């Protein structure tokens, strides 16, 4: 019976949907993306994450799951030196993050996504980007 209770609790925590609703620039000049997520239980929560947080999640999961071609070929929104604070760039990233989260749910990586949004694991937002592995080489876009 204990496993039924544990399964029920996990099911209630499962994600039904994830949406990146908007973004804003903080007083420090950082762009923060607002992520709204709904659990199967109907509970609606929100989180705020920066570009580097989502990039770290994608880097970690794509490295940990080379067997998922959908994840390996996903075109993560690039970081740009120019136009970083333009509305177009922020909107492109917002849409890309939302697409990534939808993909993670589709390929069965709901648990690490949920942990990332709830801030429970190493996939949670990082305090410092000083120690970060080099990005994987990407295929050129022609």
């Amino acid at each position: 019976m204990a496993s039924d209770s544990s399964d029920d609790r996990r099911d209630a925590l499962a994600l039904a949907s994830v949406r990146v609703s908007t973004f804003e620039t903080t007083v420090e000049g950082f762009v923060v993306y607002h992520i709204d997520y709904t659990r199967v239980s109907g509970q609606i929560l929100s989180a705020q994450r920066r570009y580097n947080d989502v990039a770290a999640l994608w880097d970690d999961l794509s490295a940990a799951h080379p067997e998922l071609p959908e994840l390996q070929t996903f075109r993560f929104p690039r970081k740009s030196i120019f136009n970083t604070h333009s509305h177009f760039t922020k909107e492109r990233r917002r849409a890309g993050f939302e697409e990534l989260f939808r993909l993670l749910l589709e390929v069965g990586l709901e648990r690490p996504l949920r942990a990332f949004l709830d801030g429970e694991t190493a996939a949670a937002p990082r305090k410092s980007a000083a120690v970060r592995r080099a990005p994987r080489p990407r295929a050129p876009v022609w």
Side-chain angles (χ1 to χ4, degrees):
M1 287 287 180
S3 71
D4 288 342
S5 172
S6 174
D7 289 344
D8 290 344
R9 198 169 342 146
R10 261 194 309 259
D11 289 345
L13 294 177
L15 297 174
S17 67
V18 180
R19 181 173 166 262
V20 183
S21 57
T22 189
F23 49 81
E24 70 176 303
T25 303
T26 66
V27 292
E28 296 87 8
F30 301 117
V31 178
V32 176
Y33 295 85
H34 297 269
I35 307 163
D36 300 320
Y37 56 109
T38 306
R39 297 199 191 281
V40 171
S41 66
Q43 181 183 24
I44 300 170
L45 299 162
S46 64
Q48 295 181 0
R49 301 291 182 263
R50 291 177 50 194
Y51 176 92
N52 288 343
D53 300 329
V54 182
L57 173 70
W58 181 72
D59 283 345
D60 293 347
L61 291 178
S62 61
H65 296 280
E67 75 282 3
L68 296 173
E70 305 92 340
L71 196 56
Q72 300 305 315
T73 59
F74 179 77
R75 292 180 57 152
F76 190 82
R78 292 184 308 232
K79 190 146 193 168
S80 114
I81 295 172
F82 305 105
N83 298 320
T84 297
H85 293 286
S86 74
H87 184 80
F88 171 80
T89 299
K90 291 185 256 188
E91 177 56 30
R92 180 179 50 82
R93 289 178 182 171
R94 186 207 62 76
F97 296 163
E98 193 165 277
E99 186 179 339
L100 173 65
F101 298 152
R102 188 173 18 256
L103 174 66
L104 294 177
L105 291 175
E106 288 173 9
V107 299
L109 293 176
E110 183 262 344
R111 249 186 175 163
L113 174 58
R114 187 177 70 216
F116 171 75
L117 294 172
D118 290 344
E120 296 174 355
T121 68
R126 298 178 181 184
K127 297 284 186 215
S128 169
V131 178
R132 186 167 176 217
R133 66 181 174 79
R136 294 178 303 123
R138 308 261 195 287
V141 179
W142 303 105

